Structures are given as C-alpha cells and as structure tokens.
Amino acid sequence: MTTRWTAVPALRDRTAGRCLTAVVVSGFGTSALWLASGVWVKDLTGSDGLAALCMLAMWLPTLAGPVLGTLADRHRRRPLLVTLSLCMAALLLTLCTVDAPSELWLLYAVLFVYGAAGTVHDAAESALVAGAVDRSLLGDFNGLRMTANEGMKLLAPLAGAGLYTAYGGPGVAVLDAASFLAAALVYVSLRVREERPEPARDGGRSATAEGVRHLWGDPALRPLVLAGGVTMLCAGVSGALTYAVVEDLGHSPAYAGVLYAVQGAGSVTVGLLSGPGLRRLGARRFAGYGIGLLAVAVALRAVPYDPVAWACAAAIGVGLPAALIAVLTEVQRRTPGPLLGRVTATANALVFTPNVIGLAAGAGLVELLGHRTQLTGLGAALGVTAAVLLGQRPASADRTEARSASDASPA
C-alpha cells in the first residue's frame, strides 16, 4: 500500500485546488463573523447570555442535517454552491442596518439562515469533490481542507477583531459578504460534468430516511461516525474547561490564546499528513489512533505544568482532526453519489451536534466536579472509544468496501 505524500498532486488537481480556494476565502469571513457576532451583541446589550445565543443560532440548523442534506441531492452541486454563496452574500449585507438592541432579531435570523446554508453547502461541496476528484486524493483533499480551516481560525479572528474595532459589526458583515462573493466566483470557474439528479420517486421524508439508512446500515461507517460523535462530545466538555486549566497553570485568561495557537499548529500538521496516514492505516485505525492520542492528551491536561499543557494542546490538535478527517473521507468513499449530500449532512449532525452539548455540559459541571476530575474521566471515556474502534473486526467492513466501491456512481 502506497504511503507517498500526495498533497501536491491534490493541489494541482484543478477541481480540488479551486474548492480549497473557496474554502479559504469563505472560511476567512465565517471565522471573523463567529467572533464578531458575539462581541457585537455584548456591546449592544451587555448580556453574556444573549451573546452566547449567536453560536446557538448558527449551530441549531445542524440538527436538521438529514433534511437539509436532501437539498444537496436534489440539485446539481456546482450551481447550488454558487446560488448559496450569492444568497448569503446578499443576506449578510442586511446586517449593516443593525445598530440597536431592538434590531438584534435580524442578526439572529441571519445567523440561523447562515447555519442552515452552511449545512447544505458542506454537503454539496463534499458530494461535488467526491465525484470530481480522484478517489486516491480524497484523504489528501480533506486533510488540506482541515489545514485551510485551521489556518483561517488562527488568522481570521484577529482580522475580524481589528475590523470590528474600526468599523463595528457592519464592517465584519461586509467582509463576510465579500468572502462569499469571492467563493461564488471560484465555484463558477469550476469545470465539472454533473448529470441532472433523477426526480424523487418518494416523498421528502422517505428520501431523508434513505440517507440515514445507508449510514446506519454500513458496518464500517456506523461505528466510525458514532466514535466521532462521542469524541466531539468529550472534546466539547474538555474545551469548556480551558479557562479552568489556564487558571490552574497560574496564568491570566488570555493565556488560552497561546494554547489555542499550539493546538492549531497541530491541526495544520495532521491535515498535511492525513493522506499518507489514511492510505497506510485505513480510516478505522487512523481515527482510532487519533482518538487514543486525544485520550492521553485530555487526561494529562489535569497536570498543572506549562510544558505538559503545550504538549497536550499540540496532541489534541493532531488527534481530534484525525478522527474528523477519517469520518468525512470514509463517507465520501463508501456512499453512492446520489445519496452523498444526505449522508454527509447526517454524519455531520451526528458528529458535531454532541460538541455543542459537551460545551454546555462542561460549563455547567466545572463548578460541581472540578476540572481535574472531569479531564481524567474524559480521558478514560476517549480511551474506551479508541479501543472499541480499533477492536472492530475489519472483515465485514472490507466486504462492504468492495461492494460499495462498485455501487458508488457519483452523480
């Protein structure tokens, strides 16, 4: 089995390269808005609770992922991505009118639509890439996509904060609108051949259930997605304990930025190496080893020693994305093209929704249990998850792999 590093060929692939460009430009605006929207609400109202609702508004549509993903299978993916990007660019400009607490309903409404459009966008983009990029490059593409996203998380919040300070929330909204417009132009430039999707023979509910059935019925995808959901749940709880960890280290809350930067560097690294790792280990073992590394790192966060904290942050940055990249790549490889939008959105809902639940649970439990007790328990839970995933017998999954590869005919 080859282990060569094929990130460069993935970048040279015209479709993959341009999709990554769209990820970078739209991700920059999205990351800036995530930070600015909460600050914007806080400045207008002085309420931490109302500011936190911004994140909830953007995440809530993820729960409807199986339904929203159906839209990505009902239409050709490239025109859908162009339309979504242009609509979001126009919608974001309406935020320029928000300058009083009584107008915050518009901000929440736009953020909710933003989250819904993002769910459809991610499903359509995943399906487009799976049908247009060589299957051997999917792991490299998803790793580079992770690297691009993490890079934007390191740079965009600083740019968004500076822009917000200079021009307020409307300035950040205009930046995000411009990023969507640029992404739309990139998608227009793609040259991919897509067949028109067949008309739905059943009702919407049946079509949605078809994607869920495929995901749940695949003996390789089901445990991988469930492990991803448990991992993100634990990661959410661990993330909510960050400021308690920083306080235990004897630093000010701003020190959390140092740990996030180290974690981001780890994520960038694993993104670049994921292609060879997936080819050598396979998705199940790649995810399992990543979750195992995450288990050790989360548990050791309870040790109040700076070098240990840095090492744990870097290890979390490597281990957590490894599981996410493995899930997305395996969904793309094992799902027939006409179902890929629904299955991707369903998998994303099952994996990422627990993260929000974990953040809320961690914030509520930190005063009751203390962060060291929680981190130790989370490390144990992640260790069990990794062991279960690695202990899965690959035989049945391999047989399904052979069958799915022949059945998968991308739209």
Side-chain angles (χ1 to χ4, degrees):
M1 181 179 293
T2 180
T3 59
R4 68 185 185 282
W5 189 59
T6 55
V8 173
L11 287 173
R12 288 176 177 170
D13 183 280
R14 181 170 180 169
T15 301
R18 295 194 178 187
C19 282
L20 283 170
T21 301
V23 167
V24 169
V25 295
S26 63
F28 187 89
T30 297
S31 296
L33 185 67
W34 270 71
L35 172 67
S37 59
V39 178
W40 195 354
V41 172
K42 174 70 173 178
D43 284 347
L44 288 176
T45 67
S47 170
D48 291 328
L50 291 177
L53 285 179
C54 292
M55 180 176 291
L56 177 62
M58 294 183 76
W59 272 102
L60 197 58
T62 306
L63 297 173
V67 177
L68 294 172
T70 304
L71 296 175
D73 293 332
R74 289 281 183 265
H75 307 278
R76 286 181 293 178
R77 279 68 182 252
R78 186 181 71 91
L80 179 60
L81 289 169
V82 172
T83 302
L84 283 172
S85 298
L86 291 176
C87 288
M88 286 310 304
L91 187 63
L92 282 163
L93 293 178
T94 65
L95 295 181
C96 293
T97 64
V98 177
D99 59 3
S102 61
E103 296 167 345
L104 285 179
W105 66 269
L106 178 59
L107 174 60
Y108 290 128
V110 169
L111 291 177
F112 182 83
V113 176
Y114 198 113
T119 300
V120 179
H121 179 281
D122 288 347
E125 182 190 65
S126 175
L128 178 71
V129 169
V133 174
D134 190 286
R135 290 171 64 87
S136 65
L137 299 179
L138 286 177
D140 298 276
F141 174 86
N142 291 325
L144 290 170
R145 190 179 191 276
M146 178 67 69
T147 296
N149 279 330
E150 292 302 319
M152 289 305 98
K153 289 178 184 178
L154 293 175
L155 300 176
L158 296 176
L163 195 61
Y164 181 84
T165 301
Y167 301 103
V172 181
V174 170
L175 169 67
D176 201 6
S179 73
F180 272 106
L181 180 60
L185 295 175
V186 174
Y187 288 128
V188 167
S189 71
L190 288 176
R191 294 293 178 263
V192 294
R193 183 177 180 274
E194 294 185 274
E195 300 293 337
R196 186 179 299 276
E198 295 182 4
R201 294 186 295 270
D202 302 315
R205 185 176 301 177
S206 176
T208 299
E210 190 177 3
V212 175
R213 284 195 300 269
H214 173 83
L215 182 63
W216 195 254
D218 190 300
L221 288 181
R222 183 175 64 249
L224 196 59
V225 171
L226 290 177
V230 173
T231 299
M232 291 301 289
L233 175 67
C234 294
V237 178
S238 176
L241 304 177
T242 295
Y243 291 104
V245 170
V246 169
E247 183 180 1
D248 201 24
L249 290 169
H251 297 290
S252 68
Y255 191 76
V258 176
L259 299 182
Y260 283 131
V262 175
Q263 181 175 328
S267 298
V268 169
T269 301
V270 74
L272 294 174
L273 300 176
S274 61
L278 284 167
R279 281 186 290 275
R280 180 178 181 84
L281 301 173
R284 179 179 56 84
R285 286 195 294 162
F286 186 72
Y289 291 145
I291 297 171
L293 177 63
L294 181 65
V296 175
V298 167
L300 288 178
R301 292 186 83 199
V303 178
Y305 184 50
D306 279 332
V308 174
W310 298 335
C312 289
I316 290 171
V318 172
L320 183 58
L324 301 179
I325 293 169
V327 170
L328 176 57
T329 303
E330 199 71 349
V331 165
Q332 289 175 319
R333 287 175 174 170
R334 302 180 67 89
T335 304
L339 288 176
L340 193 47
R342 281 163 283 180
V343 175
T344 297
T346 301
N348 286 343
L350 292 173
V351 170
F352 290 108
T353 301
N355 185 248
V356 182
I357 298 173
L359 285 168
L365 292 173
V366 66
E367 299 295 337
L368 297 175
L369 299 178
H371 70 283
R372 292 187 183 180
T373 301
Q374 289 190 67
L375 289 171
T376 303
L378 290 170
L382 287 166
V384 171
T385 302
V388 170
L389 191 59
L390 292 171
Q392 178 198 7
R393 290 190 305 168
S396 61
D398 290 342
R399 288 194 295 268
T400 306
E401 172 77 28
R403 186 190 70 222
S404 298
S406 61
D407 292 342
S409 53

